[in-house]
Amino acid sequence: MRIMICDDCLSDLDQAETLLRSYSIQHPERLMEVTVFNHPDAFLSIFERDPLIHLVLLDMVMPFVSGIEVAKAIRLRNPEVQILCTSASKDFAVDSYAVNAANYLLKPLKHETLFPLLDELWATLNQPDQPCLIINE
């Protein structure tokens, strides 16, 4: 599963990455490649060149551009990618419907809410199980 995380808050970015590592440890048979970005411009630059991503964890409040605007750009390049919107606020939850987000998670992220969503996504991907975790920074 190819995953990208985009969050301007380094502690939230680290927390999401740590949770994904924990998930990978619990499911060593599942291949996950995780790439992290702390700025939406860097994220979009890479995503536009390589849009074949399965999951994006996307912060809703970032400098210069909203997470909703980033999600709209994602949808133009890959309408199939699963987007999990993340925010410390419920304010953008309704807006996330407009970009067909898979879910809206309140920060701080918790394994009780994230892991079942990852399980669902994994089941839909129907990927062969292979032990590996790749973290790109």
Side-chain angles (χ1 to χ4, degrees):
M1 180 185 323
R2 296 186 68 209
I3 302 171
M4 289 183 164
I5 309 169
C6 184
D7 197 316
D8 64 305
C9 177
L10 295 181
S11 62
D12 289 341
L13 194 61
D14 184 56
Q15 180 191 34
E17 185 178 348
T18 299
L19 282 169
L20 291 173
R21 284 180 194 262
S22 177
Y23 182 83
S24 180
I25 289 168
Q26 289 183 19
H27 301 282
E29 73 284 359
R30 296 179 179 176
L31 174 65
M32 293 174 59
E33 178 183 340
V34 180
T35 308
V36 298
F37 301 90
N38 67 354
H39 197 284
D41 290 345
F43 166 80
L44 287 171
S45 174
I46 298 298
F47 184 81
E48 287 174 0
R49 284 184 272 149
D50 186 12
L52 299 178
I53 302 299
H54 301 104
L55 173 64
V56 176
L57 275 75
L58 182 60
D59 183 25
M60 291 291 94
V61 181
M62 294 182 285
F64 309 112
V65 64
S66 74
I68 294 299
E69 292 304 314
V70 174
K72 288 177 181 177
I74 291 169
R75 284 284 171 244
L76 290 175
R77 298 285 292 157
N78 182 346
E80 301 300 318
V81 67
Q82 297 296 306
I83 301 172
L84 294 180
C85 297
T86 65
S87 180
S89 168
K90 296 177 184 179
D91 292 347
F92 304 97
V94 173
D95 294 337
S96 70
Y97 287 106
V99 294
N100 198 26
N103 214 311
Y104 191 93
L105 301 176
L106 289 176
K107 295 178 186 179
L109 296 180
K110 298 177 181 149
H111 68 86
E112 297 91 352
T113 53
L114 180 60
F115 288 14
L117 295 172
L118 293 173
D119 288 339
E120 288 176 25
L121 178 57
W122 196 268
T124 63
L125 291 176
N126 214 6
Q127 291 187 352
D129 293 336
Q130 300 174 12
C132 188
L133 170 66
I134 302 168
I135 302 287
N136 298 315
E137 295 188 31

